[in-house]
Structures are given as structure tokens and as C-alpha cells.
Amino acid sequence: MKRPRFAPDNFMLLMIATVIMASLLPCSGVTAQAFNGITNVAICLLFFLHGAKLPREAVIAGLTHWRLHLTVLACTFVVLPLLGLLLKPLASVLVTPDLYLGLLFVCVLPSTVQSSIAFTSVARGNVPAAVCAASASNLLGIFLTPVLVGLLVVAHSGAASSFEAIGKIALQLLLPFIAGQIARRWISGWLDRNKGVLKFVDQGSILLVVYTAFSEAVNQGLWQQLPMHSLLGLLLLDVLLLLLIIAIATVGSRWLGFNKEDEITIVFCGSKKSMASGIPMAKILFAGPALGAVVLPLMLFHQIQLMVCAVLAQRYAQRLNPVTRVREAPKI
């Protein structure tokens, strides 16, 4: 039976199940320490495999389109953080301070890689440029995200300082990524034949972080402190944030004179946020019970962006060739 277009994907269902399990059976004490250790190892392995998978040839080939890449980076690391700040008056009415903290964190994250490229392909955009733009966003995000967190977020919470956070992220995320790039020549073929391994590590590490984060938050009384109207307000803010950046990326790319294929790439790479990078970064940048509330806006934004971009990708493709029936966008 075909899944309805707006139904949550399997991974989102797993995350919902993980949050429920953490709410009913939160880990604590020695068990929590063990889960944290396993989670750290899984995150290092995840970024090692991402480094081994990323083709350097595609990145180098796309570097010549510098105007497009600067536009994507501006959307990701300039426009979205500004939108997050501009939404503060509305957020102060709709959500709790910790949820707004999480919303700001969403705004400073790098773009996704897999789903940005997949939706660009479905929409018939500039796929090589999408590979380069999304990859560059993720690499630069290792440095830019903690700096932006320090500038925008640290005043609101006990987030780690920028330089301390960069050091921790470099140790836990960048070094494994570089090691993966070095090992690519030996293991890339094996990874191409066993793509399920990367998917398992990718999703498994995120689920581990979600479980440990929500366990600690639940032990500190997260659900007692989080009213239902704040969750509904968060949904509204996530939707509004995504629609605003899509509109700005679309209008901006046309104003700058990009063709339709490049516009598609800018819209999908400039509007999306990476949960695969974001949740491990949140674990490093935020400590204590606030972590559960901080990752909640990202989990919700992730599902919203998949649903909205699936519809948008099909509209783009049909617009370019209305006679051809376009396949449904993949669930990433």
C-alpha cells in the first residue's frame, strides 16, 4: 500500500517511538553514562563514514559555480539566523525559552546533504552544484555553527563557548570526517556496495542521541514544564520559518539572475537543515536537561521540510515538463 504523501517517514516514526520510550523508560545513572559512551562512538563512526562516502571529484567539479555556493551559504548561515532573531517577539508568546533556543539552533545549522541532492534531482535542478553546495555547507558548519551559537544562543543558556565548542566538534566530528576522506580510496567501493551500513549508523546514532537527550530531560521534568500550546506554537514557528526561507531563496535567486536549474538548487540546499549533523552538534554544544527541548524543534523541522520539499520538487519538475508524469520524491 502506498504511503500518503504527508505521512511521517519510517525514520520519523522511529524517532517518535524513541521519544515515547525515553518518556516511559528514561535511562539514568550508570546506564545513562554507558549510553553516552556508545553514542559518542556511534557519532564518530557516522562522520568517518560520511567522509569516506563524499566524492572529492564531485566537490571539485562544482567549485567553479561560486556565485551559487555563496548564495546557498548566505541563505543557510546569514538569512536564516536573522529570521530566527526576527521571530523572537512571536516566539516569546508562542513557546517556552528552551524551545526558542532550539529554534535558533535550527537556524544556524548547515544544510542537509542526501535529501538536498535527492530533491534537486527530482526537481531537475543542477545536481553537481547541489552536491558541492550541500557538502560545503556541512564542512563549514563544523566551524560556523558553534560560532553562531556563541553569538546568538550562548546568552540564552549554558551553551559551550564558541572556541571550546569548535574544539570539541573538531575532535568528535571533523577528525573522523578527515580520516574517512583519507580512507576513501580503500573503502569507498565497499561502502557503495553496502549503503545500508551508512544508513544504519546514520539513523542509529541520531536515535541514540535522541534517547539519551530526552531521558535526561524527562528525568528533569520536561513534559511537566512543556505546555501543549507551546508544542502547537513550535509547529507554527517551524512552518513559518521554512516558508519564509523558501520564499526568500526563490525571489533572491531570480533577482540575482540564476537560471531555473540553479534556482532549484539554491531553494533546496539553502532552505534545509541537517538533523544528521545537528543532533550530534547539539549534544556537544548544550548540556543538561535543556538538550531535549533544544532538539525538539529540529526533529519537527526535519519532518516538515521533507513534506514541503517533496511537494515543491514535484511542482518544479511538472513546471519544466508538464507532459511527463513525475515520480514521487523519495523519503529521506
Side-chain angles (χ1 to χ4, degrees), residues 5 22 35-36 41 50 59 62 65 75 82 85 98 111 117 122 129 135-136 150 177 210 256 315:
R5 177 184 296 173
F35 267 103
N36 275 319
V41 172
H50 274 299
V59 174
H65 207 344
C75 289
L82 289 176
L85 292 175
D98 282 344
S111 176
I117 297 168
V122 170
S135 302
F177 185 91
V210 169
L256 291 170
R315 286 181 177 271

Coordinates of all heavy atoms in Angstrom, one line a residue, residues 5 22 35-36 41 50 59 62 65 75 82 85 98 111 117 122 129 135-136 150 177 210 256 315:
R5 N 1.3 11.0 1.0 CA 2.4 12.0 0.8 C 2.8 12.7 2.1 O 4.0 12.9 2.4 CB 2.0 13.0 -0.2 CG 3.1 14.1 -0.4 CD 2.6 15.1 -1.4 NE 2.4 14.5 -2.7 CZ 1.8 15.2 -3.7 NH1 1.4 16.4 -3.6 NH2 1.6 14.6 -4.9
A22 N 11.9 7.0 25.8 CA 12.6 7.8 26.8 C 11.7 8.4 27.8 O 12.1 8.6 29.0 CB 13.4 8.9 26.0
F35 N 25.2 4.7 27.8 CA 24.5 5.1 26.6 C 25.3 6.3 26.0 O 25.5 6.4 24.8 CB 23.1 5.5 26.8 CG 22.1 4.4 26.6 CD1 21.6 3.7 27.6 CD2 21.8 4.0 25.3 CE1 20.7 2.6 27.4 CE2 20.9 3.0 25.1 CZ 20.3 2.3 26.1
N36 N 25.8 7.2 26.8 CA 26.5 8.4 26.3 C 27.8 8.0 25.7 O 28.2 8.5 24.6 CB 26.8 9.4 27.5 CG 25.7 10.3 27.8 OD1 25.1 10.8 26.8 ND2 25.4 10.6 29.0
V41 N 30.8 7.1 20.4 CA 31.5 6.2 19.4 C 30.7 6.2 18.1 O 31.2 6.3 17.0 CB 31.6 4.8 20.0 CG1 32.2 3.9 18.9 CG2 32.6 4.8 21.2
H50 N 30.7 9.3 6.6 CA 30.3 10.4 5.7 C 31.5 10.9 5.0 O 31.5 11.2 3.8 CB 29.7 11.5 6.5 CG 28.2 11.3 6.7 ND1 27.3 11.3 5.7 CD2 27.5 11.2 7.9 CE1 26.1 11.1 6.2 NE2 26.2 11.1 7.5
V59 N 32.8 17.4 -5.6 CA 33.0 18.7 -4.9 C 33.9 19.6 -5.8 O 33.6 20.8 -6.0 CB 33.6 18.4 -3.6 CG1 34.0 19.8 -2.9 CG2 32.7 17.6 -2.7
G62 N 32.1 21.1 -8.8 CA 31.1 22.1 -8.6 C 31.7 23.4 -8.0 O 30.9 24.4 -7.9
H65 N 31.2 27.1 -9.7 CA 29.9 27.9 -9.6 C 29.9 28.6 -8.3 O 29.0 28.4 -7.5 CB 28.8 26.9 -9.8 CG 27.5 27.6 -10.4 ND1 27.4 28.9 -10.5 CD2 26.4 27.0 -10.9 CE1 26.2 29.2 -11.0 NE2 25.6 28.1 -11.3
C75 N 22.0 32.0 2.5 CA 20.7 31.6 3.0 C 20.8 30.8 4.3 O 20.1 31.0 5.2 CB 20.0 30.7 1.9 SG 19.4 31.6 0.5
L82 N 19.1 35.4 10.9 CA 18.4 36.7 11.0 C 16.9 36.5 11.2 O 16.2 37.2 12.0 CB 18.7 37.6 9.8 CG 20.1 38.1 9.7 CD1 20.3 38.9 8.4 CD2 20.4 39.0 10.9
L85 N 16.1 35.5 14.7 CA 16.1 36.6 15.6 C 14.8 37.5 15.4 O 14.2 38.0 16.4 CB 17.3 37.5 15.4 CG 18.7 36.9 15.8 CD1 19.8 37.8 15.4 CD2 18.7 36.6 17.3
D98 N 13.3 27.6 26.2 CA 14.1 26.5 25.7 C 13.8 26.1 24.3 O 14.6 25.7 23.5 CB 14.0 25.2 26.6 CG 14.8 25.4 27.9 OD1 15.7 26.3 27.9 OD2 14.6 24.7 28.9
S111 N 23.2 22.8 5.9 CA 22.2 22.2 5.1 C 22.4 20.7 5.1 O 23.4 20.1 5.5 CB 22.3 22.7 3.6 OG 21.4 22.0 2.8
I117 N 20.2 16.9 -2.3 CA 20.6 16.4 -3.6 C 19.5 15.6 -4.2 O 19.2 15.7 -5.4 CB 21.9 15.5 -3.5 CG1 23.1 16.3 -3.0 CG2 22.2 14.8 -4.8 CD1 24.3 15.5 -2.6
V122 N 15.1 15.3 -8.3 CA 13.7 15.1 -8.6 C 13.1 16.3 -9.3 O 12.4 16.2 -10.3 CB 12.8 14.7 -7.4 CG1 11.3 14.8 -7.7 CG2 13.2 13.4 -6.8
A129 N 26.1 20.9 -8.7 CA 26.2 22.1 -7.9 C 25.6 21.8 -6.5 O 26.1 22.3 -5.5 CB 25.6 23.3 -8.5
S135 N 27.6 19.8 0.5 CA 28.8 19.3 1.1 C 29.6 20.5 1.8 O 30.1 20.4 2.9 CB 29.7 18.6 0.1 OG 29.0 17.5 -0.5
A136 N 29.8 21.6 1.0 CA 30.5 22.7 1.6 C 29.8 23.3 2.8 O 30.4 23.7 3.8 CB 30.6 23.8 0.5
G150 N 27.5 30.7 19.6 CA 28.1 31.6 20.6 C 27.6 33.0 20.5 O 27.4 33.7 21.5
F177 N 35.8 12.7 10.1 CA 35.5 13.0 8.7 C 36.7 13.0 7.8 O 36.7 12.5 6.8 CB 34.8 14.4 8.6 CG 34.3 14.7 7.3 CD1 33.0 14.4 6.9 CD2 35.1 15.4 6.4 CE1 32.5 14.7 5.6 CE2 34.6 15.7 5.1 CZ 33.4 15.4 4.7
V210 N 18.9 11.1 20.6 CA 17.5 11.5 21.0 C 17.1 10.8 22.3 O 16.5 11.4 23.2 CB 16.5 11.1 19.8 CG1 15.1 11.3 20.3 CG2 16.8 12.1 18.6
L256 N 18.9 37.7 -8.6 CA 20.4 37.6 -8.9 C 20.6 37.0 -10.3 O 21.8 36.9 -10.8 CB 21.1 36.7 -7.9 CG 21.2 37.3 -6.5 CD1 21.7 36.3 -5.5 CD2 22.1 38.6 -6.5
R315 N 6.4 20.0 -8.1 CA 5.8 21.2 -8.8 C 6.9 21.7 -9.7 O 6.6 22.1 -10.9 CB 5.4 22.2 -7.8 CG 4.1 21.9 -7.1 CD 3.7 23.0 -6.1 NE 2.4 22.7 -5.4 CZ 1.2 23.0 -5.9 NH1 1.2 23.7 -7.1 NH2 0.1 22.7 -5.3

